[in-house]
Amino acid sequence: NAGVTQTPKFQVLKTGQSMTLQCAQDMNHEYMSWYRQDPGMGLRLIHYSVGAGITDQGEVPNGYNVSRSTTEDFPLRLLSAAPSQTSVYFCASSYSTSGGERLFGPGTRLTVL
Amino acid sequence: AQTVTQSQPEMSVQEAETVTLSCTYDTSENNYYLFWYKQPPSRQMILVIRQEAYKQQNATENRFSVNFQKAAKSFSLKISDSQLGDTAMYFCAFTPGNTDKLIFGTGTRLQVFP
C-alpha cells in the first residue's frame, strides 16, 4: 500500500490564484480529512468526509472547497488564494471515525505571495 | 467549546532519562478517544499512543505510556529511556463523542540531548 499520498509537496501561488491540492489513499478508508498547520497553532481541521459524496466543514473552512466523488480521492481547492492561507496542509484518512487512527500524508507546504 | 491545552511549549531531557508531557482537554462528552502524535523534523505525523475514555487502564506502547485522569480531564505522556530519535513535536488530540473531528493541542517541542 502507498498509504496516503499528497501532491504537490511544495507550491508557491500569487494572491488571487486558484489551485487544487491532491490527496489519495489506497486503503479503502471511508473517512478522510484536511488539516492546516500553522506555527504555534497545532493542526486545525478544514473539511472532512465520512464517505463518497459526503463532506462537512471543520474549524476553518472559509476559502476552501472539497468534494468526494470516489473513496480514494479527496482534493482540496483554494478558490482565490490569500496570504493568510500560507501554511502546511495535511491530508489524513482513517478506517473509522471517532476512535480510528488517522494516517497522515507527507504534507504540502503552500506559500501565497 | 471542545479544546486541548498543552501548557509546555518546549521541553528537554537527557538521553536515557524519563520525561512527561502534559495535556488537558475540555469536553462535556462521556465517551471520546485521546491520542498522542509525534512530528519529527521530517514533518510526518506519526501516532504514538491511543486511549479510549471508557477504559480505565492506561495505554502503553513500549517506552511510551499515558497517565489518563478522566475526572481531571488530563492525558499526560511519559517517555521512558529517552532516545535521540524521540526529538520531535508532540501533539495531544482527541475526538469528542461521536463526532468525526480530531481536535489538536498546540504541541510541545521535545529535545533529547546526548
Side-chain angles (χ1 to χ4, degrees):
Chain A
N1 287 346
V4 180
T5 59
Q6 290 184 238
T7 56
K9 284 189 168 52
F10 302 93
Q11 183 70 49
V12 178
L13 290 179
K14 293 182 180 178
T15 297
Q17 286 185 315
S18 63
M19 80 158 295
T20 300
L21 305 185
Q22 301 291 345
C23 175
Q25 52 89 12
D26 60 357
M27 298 167 286
N28 204 32
H29 285 173
E30 290 294 329
Y31 181 76
M32 296 185 74
S33 51
W34 277 101
Y35 292 85
R36 60 177 289 173
Q37 183 178 20
D38 301 297
M41 301 188 73
L43 280 77
R44 292 180 293 169
L45 182 64
I46 304 171
H47 285 287
Y48 65 97
S49 169
V50 298
I54 306 169
T55 64
D56 206 347
Q57 296 181 350
E59 302 169 78
V60 288
N62 292 341
Y64 307 95
N65 267 3
V66 292
S67 60
R68 184 97 179 269
S69 56
T70 67
T71 299
E72 294 78 21
D73 300 297
F74 191 44
L76 178 72
R77 298 181 186 84
L78 281 70
L79 308 173
S80 177
S84 61
Q85 294 179 304
T86 294
S87 188
V88 178
Y89 290 84
F90 287 95
C91 178
S93 75
S94 174
Y95 62 89
S96 76
T97 61
S98 192
E101 174 193 354
R102 270 64 165 176
L103 296 175
F104 285 82
T108 294
R109 181 175 292 278
L110 175 68
T111 301
V112 183
L113 302 175
Chain B
Q2 324 258 22
T3 58
V4 178
T5 301
Q6 294 181 251
S7 59
Q8 305 152 315
E10 295 185 355
M11 296 277 287
S12 62
V13 64
Q14 198 150 24
E15 204 174 4
E17 298 294 308
T18 295
V19 64
T20 298
L21 309 183
S22 300
C23 172
T24 58
Y25 56 92
D26 186 24
T27 182
S28 57
E29 301 288 341
N30 192 48
N31 189 30
Y32 45 88
Y33 295 84
L34 296 152
F35 305 84
W36 277 98
Y37 277 89
K38 168 185 177 181
Q39 186 180 42
S42 66
R43 200 170 70 191
Q44 182 67 48
M45 294 290 289
I46 302 164
L47 179 67
V48 175
I49 203 163
R50 173 181 172 273
Q51 173 84 41
E52 299 172 48
Y54 63 86
K55 288 189 175 179
Q56 298 284 353
Q57 189 172 3
N58 290 327
T60 299
E61 288 288 340
N62 300 315
R63 298 182 295 107
F64 298 87
S65 61
V66 297
N67 182 5
F68 173 46
Q69 301 289 329
K70 191 172 184 179
K73 296 181 183 176
S74 171
F75 184 60
S76 60
L77 176 69
K78 185 172 82 170
I79 306 174
S80 304
D81 186 26
S82 297
Q83 300 175 359
L84 296 178
D86 294 335
T87 292
M89 282 288 288
Y90 286 81
F91 292 98
C92 179
F94 87 116
T95 56
N98 290 322
T99 71
D100 306 309
K101 301 178 181 180
L102 183 60
I103 300 170
F104 283 84
T106 53
T108 296
R109 185 177 303 279
L110 176 68
Q111 180 74 48
V112 180
F113 291 97

Coordinates of all heavy atoms in Angstrom, one line a residue, chain B residues 15-82:
Chain B
E15 N 19.3 12.0 27.2 CA 19.2 10.6 26.8 C 19.2 9.7 27.9 O 19.9 9.8 28.9 CB 20.4 10.3 25.9 CG 20.2 9.2 24.9 CD 21.4 9.1 23.9 OE1 22.4 9.8 24.1 OE2 21.3 8.3 23.0
A16 N 18.3 8.7 27.8 CA 18.1 7.6 28.8 C 17.2 8.0 30.0 O 16.8 7.2 30.8 CB 19.4 7.0 29.3
E17 N 16.9 9.3 30.1 CA 16.1 9.8 31.2 C 14.6 9.7 30.8 O 14.2 9.4 29.7 CB 16.4 11.2 31.6 CG 17.9 11.4 32.1 CD 18.1 10.7 33.4 OE1 17.2 11.0 34.3 OE2 19.0 9.9 33.5
T18 N 13.7 10.0 31.8 CA 12.3 10.0 31.6 C 11.7 11.4 31.6 O 12.2 12.3 32.3 CB 11.6 9.2 32.7 OG1 12.1 7.8 32.7 CG2 10.1 9.2 32.6
V19 N 10.8 11.6 30.7 CA 10.1 12.9 30.6 C 8.6 12.7 30.5 O 8.2 11.7 29.9 CB 10.7 13.7 29.4 CG1 10.4 13.0 28.1 CG2 10.2 15.2 29.4
T20 N 7.9 13.7 31.0 CA 6.4 13.7 30.9 C 5.9 14.9 30.3 O 6.2 16.0 30.7 CB 5.8 13.5 32.4 OG1 6.3 12.3 32.9 CG2 4.3 13.5 32.3
L21 N 5.1 14.7 29.3 CA 4.5 15.9 28.6 C 3.0 16.0 29.0 O 2.3 15.0 29.1 CB 4.5 15.7 27.1 CG 5.9 15.3 26.5 CD1 5.8 15.2 25.0 CD2 6.9 16.3 26.9
S22 N 2.6 17.2 29.3 CA 1.2 17.4 29.9 C 0.2 17.7 28.8 O 0.5 18.3 27.8 CB 1.3 18.6 30.9 OG 2.2 18.3 31.9
C23 N -1.0 17.3 29.1 CA -2.2 17.6 28.2 C -3.4 17.7 29.0 O -3.7 16.7 29.8 CB -2.3 16.6 27.1 SG -3.7 16.8 26.0
T24 N -4.2 18.7 28.8 CA -5.6 18.7 29.4 C -6.5 19.0 28.3 O -6.2 19.6 27.3 CB -5.7 19.7 30.5 OG1 -5.4 21.0 30.0 CG2 -4.8 19.4 31.7
Y25 N -7.8 18.6 28.5 CA -8.8 18.8 27.5 C -10.1 19.2 28.1 O -10.3 19.0 29.3 CB -8.9 17.6 26.6 CG -9.3 16.3 27.4 CD1 -10.6 15.9 27.6 CD2 -8.3 15.6 28.0 CE1 -10.9 14.8 28.4 CE2 -8.5 14.5 28.8 CZ -9.8 14.1 29.0 OH -10.1 13.0 29.8
D26 N -11.0 19.7 27.3 CA -12.3 20.2 27.9 C -13.4 19.6 27.0 O -13.4 19.9 25.8 CB -12.4 21.7 27.9 CG -13.6 22.2 28.6 OD1 -14.2 21.4 29.4 OD2 -14.1 23.3 28.3
T27 N -14.3 18.8 27.6 CA -15.4 18.3 26.8 C -16.5 17.9 27.8 O -16.2 17.6 29.0 CB -15.0 17.1 26.0 OG1 -16.2 16.6 25.3 CG2 -14.5 15.9 26.9
S28 N -17.7 18.0 27.4 CA -18.8 17.5 28.2 C -19.3 16.1 27.9 O -20.2 15.6 28.5 CB -20.0 18.5 28.0 OG -20.4 18.6 26.7
E29 N -18.6 15.5 26.9 CA -18.9 14.2 26.5 C -18.4 13.2 27.5 O -17.4 13.4 28.1 CB -18.3 13.9 25.1 CG -18.8 14.8 24.0 CD -20.3 14.6 23.6 OE1 -20.8 13.5 23.9 OE2 -20.9 15.5 23.0
N30 N -19.0 12.0 27.5 CA -18.6 11.0 28.4 C -17.7 10.0 27.7 O -16.8 9.3 28.3 CB -19.7 10.3 29.1 CG -19.3 9.4 30.2 OD1 -18.5 9.8 31.1 ND2 -19.8 8.1 30.2
N31 N -17.9 9.8 26.4 CA -17.1 8.9 25.6 C -16.4 9.6 24.6 O -16.9 10.4 23.8 CB -18.0 7.8 25.0 CG -17.2 6.7 24.4 OD1 -16.1 6.4 24.8 ND2 -17.7 6.2 23.3
Y32 N -15.1 9.4 24.5 CA -14.2 10.0 23.5 C -12.9 9.2 23.4 O -12.7 8.3 24.1 CB -14.0 11.5 23.9 CG -13.6 11.7 25.3 CD1 -12.3 11.6 25.8 CD2 -14.6 12.0 26.3 CE1 -12.0 11.8 27.1 CE2 -14.3 12.1 27.6 CZ -13.0 12.1 28.0 OH -12.7 12.2 29.3
Y33 N -12.1 9.7 22.5 CA -10.8 9.0 22.3 C -9.7 10.0 22.3 O -9.9 11.2 21.9 CB -10.8 8.3 20.9 CG -11.8 7.2 20.8 CD1 -13.1 7.4 20.4 CD2 -11.4 5.9 21.0 CE1 -14.0 6.4 20.3 CE2 -12.3 4.8 20.9 CZ -13.6 5.1 20.5 OH -14.5 4.1 20.4
L34 N -8.6 9.7 22.9 CA -7.4 10.5 23.1 C -6.2 10.0 22.3 O -6.0 8.8 22.3 CB -7.1 10.7 24.6 CG -8.2 11.4 25.4 CD1 -8.2 10.9 26.8 CD2 -8.1 12.9 25.3
F35 N -5.4 10.9 21.8 CA -4.2 10.5 21.0 C -3.0 11.3 21.4 O -3.2 12.5 21.7 CB -4.5 10.7 19.5 CG -5.8 10.0 19.0 CD1 -7.0 10.6 19.1 CD2 -5.7 8.7 18.4 CE1 -8.1 10.0 18.6 CE2 -6.8 8.1 17.9 CZ -8.1 8.7 18.0
W36 N -1.9 10.7 21.2 CA -0.6 11.5 21.1 C 0.0 11.2 19.8 O 0.2 10.0 19.4 CB 0.3 11.1 22.2 CG 0.1 11.8 23.5 CD1 -0.6 11.3 24.6 CD2 0.5 13.1 23.9 NE1 -0.6 12.2 25.6 CE2 0.1 13.3 25.2 CE3 1.3 14.1 23.3 CZ2 0.3 14.5 25.9 CZ3 1.5 15.3 24.0 CH2 1.1 15.5 25.3
Y37 N 0.3 12.3 19.0 CA 1.0 12.2 17.8 C 2.4 12.8 17.9 O 2.6 13.8 18.6 CB 0.2 12.9 16.7 CG -0.9 12.1 16.0 CD1 -2.2 12.1 16.6 CD2 -0.6 11.3 14.9 CE1 -3.2 11.4 16.0 CE2 -1.7 10.5 14.3 CZ -2.9 10.6 14.9 OH -3.9 9.8 14.3
K38 N 3.3 12.2 17.2 CA 4.7 12.7 17.1 C 5.0 13.3 15.7 O 4.6 12.7 14.7 CB 5.7 11.6 17.4 CG 7.1 11.8 17.1 CD 7.9 10.5 17.4 CE 9.4 10.7 17.0 NZ 10.1 9.5 17.2
Q39 N 5.6 14.4 15.6 CA 6.0 15.0 14.4 C 7.5 15.3 14.4 O 7.9 16.4 14.9 CB 5.2 16.3 14.0 CG 5.5 16.8 12.6 CD 4.7 18.1 12.3 OE1 4.6 19.0 13.2 NE2 4.1 18.1 11.1
P40 N 8.4 14.4 13.8 CA 9.8 14.7 13.8 C 10.1 15.8 12.7 O 9.2 16.2 12.0 CB 10.4 13.3 13.4 CG 9.2 12.6 12.7 CD 8.0 13.2 13.3
P41 N 11.4 16.2 12.6 CA 11.7 17.2 11.6 C 11.3 16.9 10.2 O 11.1 17.7 9.4 CB 13.2 17.3 11.8 CG 13.5 16.9 13.2 CD 12.5 15.8 13.5
S42 N 11.1 15.6 9.9 CA 10.6 15.2 8.6 C 9.2 15.7 8.3 O 8.8 15.7 7.1 CB 10.7 13.7 8.4 OG 9.7 13.1 9.3
R43 N 8.5 16.1 9.3 CA 7.2 16.7 9.2 C 6.1 15.6 9.2 O 4.9 15.9 9.3 CB 7.0 17.5 7.9 CG 5.9 18.5 7.9 CD 6.0 19.5 6.7 NE 5.8 18.8 5.4 CZ 6.1 19.4 4.2 NH1 6.6 20.6 4.2 NH2 5.8 18.8 3.1
Q44 N 6.5 14.3 9.1 CA 5.5 13.3 9.1 C 4.8 13.2 10.4 O 5.4 13.2 11.4 CB 6.1 11.9 8.7 CG 5.2 10.8 8.6 CD 4.2 10.9 7.4 OE1 4.7 11.2 6.3 NE2 3.0 10.7 7.7
M45 N 3.4 13.0 10.4 CA 2.7 12.8 11.6 C 2.6 11.3 11.9 O 2.1 10.6 11.1 CB 1.3 13.4 11.5 CG 1.2 14.9 11.3 SD 1.7 15.8 12.8 CE 0.2 15.4 13.8
I46 N 3.0 10.9 13.1 CA 3.1 9.5 13.5 C 2.3 9.3 14.8 O 2.5 10.0 15.8 CB 4.5 9.1 13.7 CG1 5.3 9.4 12.4 CG2 4.6 7.6 14.1 CD1 6.8 9.3 12.7
L47 N 1.4 8.4 14.8 CA 0.6 8.0 16.0 C 1.6 7.4 17.0 O 2.3 6.4 16.7 CB -0.5 7.1 15.7 CG -1.4 6.7 16.9 CD1 -2.1 7.9 17.5 CD2 -2.3 5.6 16.6
V48 N 1.6 7.9 18.2 CA 2.4 7.3 19.3 C 1.6 6.4 20.2 O 1.9 5.3 20.5 CB 3.0 8.5 20.2 CG1 3.7 7.9 21.4 CG2 3.9 9.4 19.4
I49 N 0.4 6.9 20.6 CA -0.4 6.1 21.5 C -1.9 6.6 21.5 O -2.1 7.7 21.1 CB 0.2 6.2 22.9 CG1 -0.3 5.0 23.8 CG2 -0.2 7.5 23.6 CD1 0.6 4.9 25.0
R50 N -2.8 5.7 21.8 CA -4.2 6.0 21.7 C -4.9 5.4 23.0 O -4.6 4.4 23.5 CB -4.8 5.3 20.5 CG -6.3 5.3 20.2 CD -6.6 4.5 19.0 NE -8.0 4.3 18.7 CZ -8.7 3.3 19.2 NH1 -8.1 2.4 20.0 NH2 -10.0 3.2 19.0
Q51 N -5.9 6.2 23.5 CA -6.6 5.8 24.7 C -8.1 6.0 24.5 O -8.5 7.0 24.0 CB -6.1 6.7 25.9 CG -6.9 6.5 27.2 CD -6.4 5.3 28.0 OE1 -5.2 5.1 28.1 NE2 -7.3 4.6 28.6
E52 N -8.9 5.0 24.9 CA -10.3 5.1 24.8 C -10.8 5.6 26.2 O -10.4 5.0 27.2 CB -10.9 3.8 24.5 CG -10.5 3.3 23.1 CD -11.0 1.9 22.8 OE1 -12.2 1.6 23.0 OE2 -10.1 1.1 22.3
A53 N -11.6 6.6 26.3 CA -12.0 7.2 27.5 C -12.8 6.3 28.5 O -12.7 6.4 29.7 CB -12.8 8.4 27.3
Y54 N -13.5 5.3 27.9 CA -14.2 4.4 28.8 C -13.4 3.2 29.4 O -13.8 2.5 30.2 CB -15.4 3.8 28.0 CG -15.1 2.9 26.8 CD1 -14.8 1.6 27.0 CD2 -15.1 3.5 25.6 CE1 -14.5 0.8 25.9 CE2 -14.8 2.7 24.5 CZ -14.5 1.4 24.6 OH -14.2 0.6 23.5
K55 N -12.1 3.2 29.0 CA -11.2 2.2 29.5 C -10.4 2.8 30.7 O -9.8 3.8 30.5 CB -10.2 1.7 28.5 CG -10.9 0.7 27.4 CD -9.9 0.1 26.5 CE -10.5 -0.9 25.6 NZ -9.6 -1.6 24.7
Q56 N -10.4 2.2 31.8 CA -9.7 2.7 33.0 C -8.2 2.5 32.8 O -7.5 3.3 33.3 CB -10.2 2.0 34.2 CG -11.7 2.2 34.5 CD -12.0 3.5 35.1 OE1 -11.1 4.3 35.4 NE2 -13.3 3.9 35.3
Q57 N -7.8 1.4 32.2 CA -6.4 1.1 32.2 C -5.7 2.1 31.2 O -6.1 2.3 30.1 CB -6.2 -0.3 31.6 CG -4.8 -0.8 31.7 CD -4.7 -2.3 31.4 OE1 -5.7 -3.0 31.1 NE2 -3.5 -2.9 31.6
N58 N -4.5 2.5 31.7 CA -3.7 3.4 30.9 C -3.0 2.7 29.8 O -2.5 1.6 30.0 CB -2.6 4.1 31.8 CG -3.2 5.1 32.8 OD1 -4.2 5.8 32.5 ND2 -2.6 5.2 33.9
A59 N -3.0 3.3 28.6 CA -2.4 2.7 27.4 C -0.9 2.7 27.5 O -0.3 3.7 28.1 CB -2.9 3.4 26.2
T60 N -0.3 1.7 27.0 CA 1.2 1.6 26.9 C 1.6 1.1 25.6 O 1.0 0.2 25.0 CB 1.7 0.7 28.0 OG1 1.3 1.2 29.3 CG2 3.2 0.6 28.0
E61 N 2.7 1.7 25.0 CA 3.3 1.2 23.8 C 4.8 1.3 24.0 O 5.4 2.4 23.8 CB 2.9 2.1 22.6 CG 1.5 2.0 22.1 CD 1.2 0.6 21.4 OE1 2.2 0.0 20.9 OE2 0.1 0.2 21.3
N62 N 5.4 0.2 24.4 CA 6.9 0.1 24.6 C 7.3 1.2 25.6 O 6.9 1.1 26.7 CB 7.6 0.3 23.2 CG 7.2 -0.8 22.2 OD1 7.1 -2.0 22.6 ND2 6.9 -0.4 21.0
R63 N 8.1 2.1 25.2 CA 8.7 3.1 26.1 C 7.7 4.3 26.4 O 7.9 5.2 27.2 CB 9.9 3.7 25.6 CG 11.1 2.7 25.4 CD 12.3 3.4 24.9 NE 12.2 4.0 23.5 CZ 12.1 5.3 23.2 NH1 12.1 6.1 24.2 NH2 11.9 5.7 22.0
F64 N 6.5 4.3 25.7 CA 5.6 5.3 25.8 C 4.4 4.9 26.7 O 3.8 3.8 26.4 CB 5.1 5.8 24.5 CG 6.2 6.3 23.6 CD1 7.0 5.5 22.8 CD2 6.5 7.7 23.6 CE1 8.0 6.0 22.0 CE2 7.5 8.2 22.8 CZ 8.2 7.3 22.0
S65 N 3.9 5.7 27.6 CA 2.8 5.3 28.4 C 2.0 6.6 28.7 O 2.6 7.7 28.6 CB 3.1 4.6 29.7 OG 4.0 5.4 30.5
V66 N 0.8 6.5 29.1 CA 0.0 7.7 29.4 C -0.5 7.5 30.8 O -0.6 6.5 31.4 CB -1.2 7.8 28.4 CG1 -0.7 8.1 27.0 CG2 -2.2 6.7 28.5
N67 N -0.8 8.7 31.4 CA -1.5 8.8 32.7 C -2.8 9.5 32.4 O -2.9 10.7 32.2 CB -0.6 9.6 33.7 CG -1.3 9.6 35.1 OD1 -2.4 9.0 35.3 ND2 -0.7 10.4 36.0
F68 N -3.9 8.7 32.3 CA -5.2 9.2 32.0 C -6.0 9.4 33.2 O -6.3 8.5 33.9 CB -5.9 8.2 31.0 CG -7.3 8.6 30.7 CD1 -7.7 9.8 30.3 CD2 -8.3 7.6 30.7 CE1 -9.0 10.1 30.0 CE2 -9.6 7.9 30.4 CZ -9.9 9.1 30.1
Q69 N -6.3 10.7 33.5 CA -7.1 11.0 34.7 C -8.4 11.6 34.2 O -8.5 12.8 33.9 CB -6.4 12.0 35.6 CG -5.1 11.5 36.1 CD -5.2 10.4 37.1 OE1 -6.2 10.4 37.9 NE2 -4.3 9.5 37.2
K70 N -9.5 10.8 34.0 CA -10.7 11.2 33.4 C -11.4 12.4 34.1 O -11.9 13.3 33.5 CB -11.7 10.1 33.2 CG -12.9 10.4 32.3 CD -13.7 9.1 32.0 CE -14.8 9.5 31.0 NZ -15.6 8.3 30.7
A71 N -11.5 12.3 35.5 CA -12.1 13.3 36.2 C -11.4 14.6 36.1 O -12.1 15.7 36.0 CB -12.2 12.9 37.7
A72 N -10.1 14.6 36.0 CA -9.3 15.8 35.9 C -9.2 16.2 34.4 O -8.6 17.3 34.2 CB -8.0 15.6 36.5
K73 N -9.7 15.4 33.5 CA -9.5 15.7 32.1 C -8.1 15.9 31.7 O -7.7 17.0 31.1 CB -10.4 16.9 31.7 CG -11.9 16.5 31.8 CD -12.8 17.7 31.4 CE -14.3 17.3 31.7 NZ -15.2 18.4 31.4
S74 N -7.2 15.0 32.1 CA -5.8 15.1 31.9 C -5.3 13.8 31.2 O -5.8 12.7 31.5 CB -5.1 15.3 33.3 OG -3.7 15.1 33.2
F75 N -4.4 14.0 30.3 CA -3.9 12.9 29.5 C -2.4 13.2 29.2 O -2.0 13.6 28.1 CB -4.7 12.9 28.2 CG -4.3 11.7 27.3 CD1 -4.5 10.4 27.7 CD2 -3.9 11.9 26.0 CE1 -4.2 9.3 26.9 CE2 -3.6 10.9 25.1 CZ -3.8 9.6 25.6
S76 N -1.5 12.8 30.2 CA -0.1 13.1 30.0 C 0.6 11.9 29.4 O 0.2 10.8 29.5 CB 0.5 13.5 31.4 OG 0.4 12.4 32.3
L77 N 1.7 12.2 28.7 CA 2.5 11.2 28.0 C 3.9 11.1 28.7 O 4.6 12.1 28.9 CB 2.7 11.6 26.5 CG 3.7 10.7 25.7 CD1 3.0 9.3 25.5 CD2 4.0 11.3 24.4
K78 N 4.2 9.9 29.1 CA 5.5 9.6 29.7 C 6.4 8.8 28.7 O 6.0 7.8 28.2 CB 5.4 8.8 31.0 CG 6.7 8.6 31.7 CD 6.5 8.0 33.1 CE 6.4 6.5 33.1 NZ 6.5 5.9 34.4
I79 N 7.6 9.4 28.5 CA 8.5 8.7 27.6 C 9.7 8.2 28.5 O 10.4 9.1 29.2 CB 9.1 9.7 26.5 CG1 7.9 10.3 25.7 CG2 10.0 8.9 25.6 CD1 8.3 11.3 24.7
S80 N 9.9 6.9 28.6 CA 10.9 6.4 29.4 C 12.2 6.1 28.5 O 12.0 5.9 27.3 CB 10.5 5.1 30.0 OG 9.3 5.3 30.8
D81 N 13.3 6.1 29.2 CA 14.6 5.8 28.4 C 14.6 6.6 27.1 O 14.8 6.0 26.0 CB 14.6 4.2 28.1 CG 15.9 3.8 27.5 OD1 17.0 4.5 27.7 OD2 15.9 2.8 26.8
S82 N 14.6 7.9 27.2 CA 14.5 8.7 26.1 C 15.7 8.5 25.1 O 16.8 8.3 25.5 CB 14.5 10.2 26.5 OG 13.4 10.5 27.3

